[in-house]
Amino acid sequence: MKHILSIFMLLALLATGCTKNYLNITPDGRTTLDDIFKDEKRTEAYLNRVYGQMPSYFWKYGFFDFLAPFSDEAYAYSGAVMGWSAGVLNSGGNPLHTHQERGKGAYHYGTFWAGIRDANMFLENVATANIPSAGNRARFRGEAQMLRAFYFWELIKEYGPMPIVTAPFTNDFDYTSLKRPTFQECVDFIVKECDEVIANDNIPVRITIEAERGRFTKAVAYAVKSQALLYNASPLWNSGNDKSKWEAASLAAQSAINALTTQGYTLVDNYGDYFLSKTDISSSPRDKETIYEIFEPQIDPVFSIINSIPSKPGMFKVGATPTQELVDSYDMQATGEPIITGYQDADHTQPILNPASGYNPAQPYEGRDPRFYATVWYNGAVYDNIGGSPHIMETYVGGTDQLLKAPIGWAFTRTGYYLRKFIDPRLQSGQPEDTRFKKYRLAELYLNLAEAENEAHGPTNIAREAVRKIRARVNMPDFPANLSQQQFQERVRKERRVELAFEEHRFWDVRRWKILNQTDKLVTGMEIIKQPDNSFTYSRFVTERRNAWSDKFLILPIPIKETAIIPDFNLNQNPGW
């Protein structure tokens, strides 16, 4: 944290004044902090600076890498992912950060602290800033408060509990006074901040004016609060399985859903099309599900698509390809039953089929959950508009879009699948240019509720109704009525995986559930051989064995250059690092 704390002190000097004029200036070299907060437009510009610390998400974790291949959702042939899978993560280097090529804020530890710093500086000055409208002042303050909570939540989700800092550091600040709080204390702070934003009458529930796109709302506060309480109740931070934590998470999710649906939030009708465009901004938008989305502009126009298939003209990088484990998670639509109940072997090549599902291993891609077809390109799928004509996917050995087991180039799948989600096959470019990453959406709140309610009270009607909402959207049957608490847990965890695939949840979910050693040792694919009679045979195989699954990988290491800054021995490093 050394350079971050140095910036804290520098900005504190700027705010309090200094005898040397060359120090009493803001980073542009011309305007003092006093000048900024004497002007409403400049004050608002400083708030934009607080927003500007938000790092890149979506497909910018490497060379067009999602977070998904850093989990068991996908495989990707890239330096960042291969380094992660090899277990090279340590306190001196993190592939998630050091290989990020096309985004901003890649160094998350510093980025989140910088966001907290800027929010604190703004909150320190907004009360006396020249803002004629009391409503604007209250809204600006609420947004900065929510940004601080957001950055702090993202920080502790990744690195564990951190000192709660609510004011700019002064030049004589005693850093020995900083202590590492508990995760509970950190979450309590975040919840308090969110509750104050929710109570702020000047913060809207939804943005309705295009010029305000990207600003935080009460809906964001509900989403962050729900997620923080859910994580706090999970095994990673609730080793004693304190039911009161699950109850708090359940109540927060219920409150969020009630508040937002009362204000018009609802699940969109078409799951697949939902991810192909940005939210429309109006008082009555078509997209009533999105709570907050982040724009990640294309930097290189050659790559106007995140992932593609090699037969698409001009493309040579396949990107993150879904794993067989992800494909196995999609139920059969007619019965609503899982296709498998587990694996007979540690390599996941011998699935335990569920006879009640209606799954036919000779026709593995027929009759599946509609979200499968909206997420995965598979052998036999129809991809529109390749050179102006529909293209039938051929992922079998020797096919146009064939599987290549050996790491030769970037053009072909190594799992037997390609990513369909976020891709619009009707467009020649594949990905709409204004696609935005949906950081928070209403569906997550329903899933948060289903999980927390089940853990607190079992599969009650509240838990079952929350899942029913999600599955009904895609015409999937309800869960069976006679599920035990453990069976419901297994089903709802799988439901999260399916509904939120490639949306940066799986990476964190397996950590908070403390099942990393069950999920991340390897990933598999499907090798398909076309027979002379045009039928196909299917054979599972291990795509990659990984070495980033032990308990120390549950919480990321604090960068080594930061560990000596705070003397509290408990903050020097996370367990195992």
Side-chain angles (χ1 to χ4, degrees):
M1 198 194 292
K2 184 174 183 178
H3 71 286
I4 297 301
L5 296 185
S6 297
I7 295 173
F8 273 132
M9 290 195 297
L10 174 60
L11 288 183
L13 285 171
L14 301 180
T16 57
C18 182
T19 56
K20 300 208 173 194
N21 290 334
Y22 68 87
L23 286 179
N24 192 26
I25 54 176
T26 45
D28 67 4
R30 298 179 297 278
T31 307
T32 67
L33 282 170
D34 285 342
D35 290 336
I36 287 176
F37 291 104
K38 287 178 181 177
D39 182 272
E40 184 175 17
K41 294 299 182 184
R42 287 177 172 175
T43 299
E44 192 166 0
Y46 199 97
L47 180 59
N48 289 338
R49 169 193 173 113
V50 186
Y51 277 102
Q53 296 293 355
M54 197 171 295
S56 293
Y57 296 95
F58 206 16
W59 48 268
K60 294 189 175 181
Y61 288 90
F63 190 67
F64 289 86
D65 284 331
F66 293 85
L67 189 60
F70 293 88
S71 74
D72 64 344
E73 284 184 305
Y75 169 86
Y77 179 56
S78 71
V81 177
M82 289 190 293
W84 181 273
S85 298
V88 302
L89 170 66
N90 57 62
S91 59
N94 185 338
L96 272 173
H97 304 160
T98 57
H99 285 269
Q100 194 173 27
E101 300 174 20
R102 295 175 175 245
K104 61 186 180 70
Y107 181 62
H108 282 183
Y109 190 87
T111 295
F112 295 139
W113 274 116
I116 294 168
R117 170 205 67 202
D118 286 347
N120 282 337
M121 185 61 69
F122 185 88
L123 290 167
E124 182 87 353
N125 290 276
V126 70
T128 57
N130 182 22
I131 307 174
S133 167
N136 282 347
R137 187 189 307 276
R139 182 174 181 181
F140 292 169
R141 174 177 173 76
E143 288 184 38
Q145 195 173 9
M146 192 61 237
L147 282 161
R148 179 172 65 185
F150 169 82
Y151 289 128
F152 191 59
W153 168 237
E154 293 289 284
L155 178 70
I156 69 169
K157 183 168 73 173
E158 192 162 338
Y159 298 101
M162 287 287 157
I164 299 169
V165 180
T166 59
F169 287 105
T170 60
N171 60 339
D172 60 349
F173 183 79
D174 179 11
Y175 294 103
T176 64
S177 66
L178 291 176
K179 302 296 181 182
R180 192 170 203 181
T182 64
F183 196 79
Q184 179 70 61
E185 290 171 325
C186 292
V187 170
D188 288 344
F189 168 73
I190 291 166
V191 168
K192 180 182 72 68
E193 295 283 277
C194 291
D195 283 343
E196 291 181 11
V197 172
I198 291 168
N200 187 330
D201 292 336
N202 296 281
I203 303 291
V205 175
R206 183 197 297 277
I207 297 299
T208 59
I209 302 171
E210 180 62 37
E212 295 183 354
R213 181 186 290 275
R215 294 179 71 171
F216 272 6
T217 63
K218 289 185 181 183
V220 174
Y222 279 115
V224 171
K225 176 182 176 179
S226 174
Q227 193 177 101
L229 286 170
L230 183 74
Y231 278 54
N232 187 52
S234 299
L236 180 61
W237 301 111
N238 185 17
S239 59
N241 196 27
D242 182 347
K243 295 294 184 182
S244 68
K245 293 188 176 186
W246 287 113
E247 289 174 352
S250 175
L251 290 173
Q254 290 181 61
S255 176
I257 292 168
N258 290 338
L260 298 188
T261 54
T262 299
Q263 294 296 318
Y265 280 84
T266 188
L267 301 179
V268 301
D269 293 332
N270 191 308
Y271 177 86
D273 286 351
Y274 172 60
F275 300 98
L276 302 183
S277 64
K278 65 181 179 182
T279 298
D280 56 309
I281 300 293
S282 76
S283 58
S284 182
R286 294 183 304 277
D287 175 6
K288 295 181 173 65
E289 179 171 349
T290 301
I291 292 173
Y292 193 75
E293 60 184 8
I294 300 171
F295 183 43
E296 295 288 359
Q298 299 283 1
I299 295 175
D300 187 342
V302 173
F303 298 100
S304 60
I305 186 171
I306 315 167
N307 290 263
S308 188
I309 58 175
S311 55
K312 193 164 184 62
M315 300 307 300
F316 66 89
K317 185 180 191 302
V318 66
T321 56
T323 62
Q324 185 61 47
E325 283 78 8
L326 175 61
V327 171
D328 286 344
S329 299
Y330 292 90
D331 295 343
M332 296 297 289
Q333 186 174 26
T335 63
E337 285 289 315
I339 67 166
I340 66 172
T341 58
Y343 303 96
Q344 299 179 52
D345 63 326
D347 283 350
H348 297 182
T349 60
Q350 300 176 48
I352 304 171
L353 300 183
N354 176 12
S357 69
Y359 171 72
N360 182 357
Q363 297 176 321
Y365 311 125
E366 292 191 7
R368 306 292 290 276
D369 184 325
R371 289 170 292 187
F372 168 70
Y373 305 108
T375 306
V376 179
W377 292 121
Y378 55 93
N379 188 59
V382 179
Y383 190 120
D384 294 338
N385 200 22
I386 299 295
S389 301
H391 170 75
I392 305 299
M393 296 291 291
E394 298 178 349
T395 64
Y396 58 83
V397 175
T400 306
D401 317 301
Q402 65 180 317
L403 165 77
L404 284 183
K405 289 184 177 181
I408 304 171
W410 289 341
F412 293 94
T413 176
R414 290 188 182 82
T415 63
Y417 304 102
Y418 295 86
L419 180 62
R420 164 70 174 85
K421 199 170 187 177
F422 314 116
I423 307 302
D424 190 344
R426 298 164 293 190
L427 301 179
Q428 186 65 30
S429 62
Q431 182 202 2
E433 292 183 2
D434 62 355
T435 297
R436 283 161 163 76
F437 174 65
K438 301 182 190 305
K439 178 69 172 171
Y440 303 112
R441 59 188 181 96
L442 184 62
E444 180 193 347
L445 292 176
Y446 282 116
L447 291 167
N448 292 353
L449 173 55
E451 178 182 348
E453 176 66 12
N454 179 62
E455 297 295 339
H457 304 118
T460 64
N461 288 336
I462 293 174
R464 288 170 49 78
E465 177 62 15
V467 176
R468 190 197 68 78
K469 287 277 190 182
I470 296 295
R471 289 169 72 88
R473 187 239 298 265
V474 291
N475 297 314
M476 285 294 292
D478 294 349
F479 285 176
N482 60 347
L483 294 180
S484 67
Q485 184 178 45
Q486 179 63 36
Q487 289 170 329
F488 191 94
Q489 179 197 82
E490 293 169 359
R491 292 276 188 110
V492 80
R493 287 183 177 185
K494 185 162 61 64
E495 193 70 18
R496 284 185 70 90
R497 184 175 196 175
V498 166
E499 174 69 25
L500 304 174
F502 281 79
E503 295 180 52
E504 302 197 8
H505 289 275
R506 180 69 176 176
F507 181 89
W508 303 110
D509 281 346
V510 296
R511 284 168 167 74
R512 66 181 179 87
W513 293 330
K514 295 191 71 174
I515 61 170
L516 192 64
N517 62 348
Q518 302 171 36
T519 61
D520 280 49
K521 289 185 177 181
L522 55 85
V523 291
T524 61
M526 183 71 82
E527 182 178 45
I528 305 174
I529 305 296
K530 188 174 184 178
Q531 301 300 319
D533 63 357
N534 291 326
S535 64
F536 298 99
T537 59
Y538 301 88
S539 177
R540 296 165 184 253
F541 69 95
V542 175
T543 300
E544 180 184 50
R545 299 186 188 278
R546 296 174 169 177
N547 192 31
W549 50 265
S550 63
D551 279 355
K552 73 175 184 178
F553 289 95
L554 294 172
I555 311 171
L556 274 58
I558 300 170
I560 194 168
K561 61 183 178 181
E562 318 288 1
T563 56
I565 303 304
I566 301 176
D568 182 358
F569 75 94
N570 196 33
L571 183 57
N572 276 349
Q573 195 46 271
N574 285 325
W577 301 106

